[in-house]
Amino acid sequence: MNEIKSAFNVGCLNCGLQKICFPTGLQKSEIDRLDEIVERKSPLKKGQHLFSTGDVFSSLFAIRAGVVKVYSYSDVGEEVIHGFYLPGDVIGVEAVATKTHHLNAIALDATSVCALPFDELSELSLQIPHLNQQMFTIMSKEVNEGRIHAEMLTKRNADQRVAQFIWDMAERYRNRGYFHKEFRLGILHRDVAVYLGLTPETVSRILAKLHQDQIATWKKKEVVIHNESKLRALAGLLHCDLNYYSPKLLAV
């Protein structure tokens, strides 16, 4: 099982996640300038918050190792999960306009991050075109992922949501250069249920069926994909016959 690469004491130029966090095409001198403003924060323990609702915004955060859950609470006190973020992801974008965080970010595992002071980053991005483009890309990515999540909740059934979630996580690991058919994922099934708008019991039943049909297995923190094509088909990502799976959809 591949472990997440961590380079806590390494600068931007030699960081294994450089091509994910920051734009390719930067000159060494430009990367050195970026490295000068980056603040490498002390590691977060599981359950420790990176930021909370009401905190003053000053930095974006690039995740170097671990998993971070971003969430809020509804008017009636119910938890609303907005996303799970892996190494290479940048979070905190939601606070750029108001300069105040409206969401909470909590480490789901031992996590290390780099803080990117926003004022200094903005000034530097005006001098480095590739960096300026990447900042817009990060913001665009956040908007697009929110749209995809909203569409999944309204247009996909329970089976498709769980299958798409697993496949999306696998793709994110693949894009980071990791083996995507087997990976560690420190996210509780209960949190996945909240994120997907399902009950924990429904998620458990679907995962049991995926395991039984030898499509995918997710036990504790280990995910194994046994059949990519069937998982993609169940997620609605392939135009093919879904008769291999039970025609009776599991109830939410």
Side-chain angles (χ1 to χ4, degrees), residues 63-79:
I63 301 172
R64 300 182 64 137
V67 182
V68 173
K69 176 178 76 173
V70 174
Y71 70 99
S72 62
Y73 290 102
S74 69
D75 293 339
V76 295
E78 294 179 338
E79 185 180 24

Side-chain angles (χ1 to χ4, degrees), residues 163-164 166-175 178-183 210 213-217 223-242 244:
Q164 183 174 334
I166 295 174
W167 180 253
D168 285 348
M169 285 293 170
E171 281 290 275
R172 290 169 69 180
Y173 274 99
R174 189 213 298 263
N175 292 336
Y178 303 112
F179 185 57
H180 68 287
K181 291 186 178 181
E182 295 184 24
F183 53 91
L210 289 172
D213 290 353
Q214 297 186 337
I215 298 173
T217 299
V223 178
V224 179
I225 296 175
H226 307 294
N227 192 312
E228 287 187 59
S229 61
K230 287 186 177 181
L231 182 63
R232 283 173 53 82
L234 180 60
L237 301 175
L238 291 177
H239 298 292
C240 63
D241 187 4
L242 300 182
Y244 69 87

Side-chain angles (χ1 to χ4, degrees), residues 156-169:
R156 306 239 181 228
N157 60 51
D159 300 67
Q160 292 173 322
R161 294 180 204 178
V162 174
Q164 183 174 334
F165 180 84
I166 295 174
W167 180 253
D168 285 348
M169 285 293 170

Side-chain angles (χ1 to χ4, degrees), residues 60-190:
L60 298 177
F61 298 96
I63 301 172
R64 300 182 64 137
V67 182
V68 173
K69 176 178 76 173
V70 174
Y71 70 99
S72 62
Y73 290 102
S74 69
D75 293 339
V76 295
E78 294 179 338
E79 185 180 24
V80 179
I81 297 178
H82 301 275
F84 303 97
Y85 296 85
L86 305 176
D89 287 332
V90 177
I91 61 176
V93 176
E94 97 289 344
V96 170
T98 62
K99 304 303 180 184
T100 302
H101 285 286
H102 300 284
L103 304 175
N104 308 284
I106 187 171
L108 299 183
D109 213 336
T111 299
S112 61
V113 302
C114 292
L116 310 170
F118 189 72
D119 289 343
E120 295 175 58
L121 184 64
S122 297
E123 183 177 347
L124 187 60
S125 69
L126 295 177
Q127 303 169 34
I128 304 176
H130 284 295
L131 184 58
N132 188 46
Q133 180 180 355
Q134 183 68 358
M135 289 184 65
F136 281 110
T137 298
I138 290 170
M139 295 179 184
S140 175
K141 179 173 177 285
E142 192 76 7
V143 172
N144 191 49
E145 289 180 351
R147 177 187 59 80
I148 292 173
H149 182 224
E151 289 181 357
M152 179 172 61
L153 294 182
T154 57
K155 297 182 179 180
R156 306 239 181 228
N157 60 51
D159 300 67
Q160 292 173 322
R161 294 180 204 178
V162 174
Q164 183 174 334
F165 180 84
I166 295 174
W167 180 253
D168 285 348
M169 285 293 170
E171 281 290 275
R172 290 169 69 180
Y173 274 99
R174 189 213 298 263
N175 292 336
R176 285 156 174 75
Y178 303 112
F179 185 57
H180 68 287
K181 291 186 178 181
E182 295 184 24
F183 53 91
R184 185 175 184 275
L185 191 60
I187 301 175
L188 295 176
H189 294 171
R190 175 262 174 198

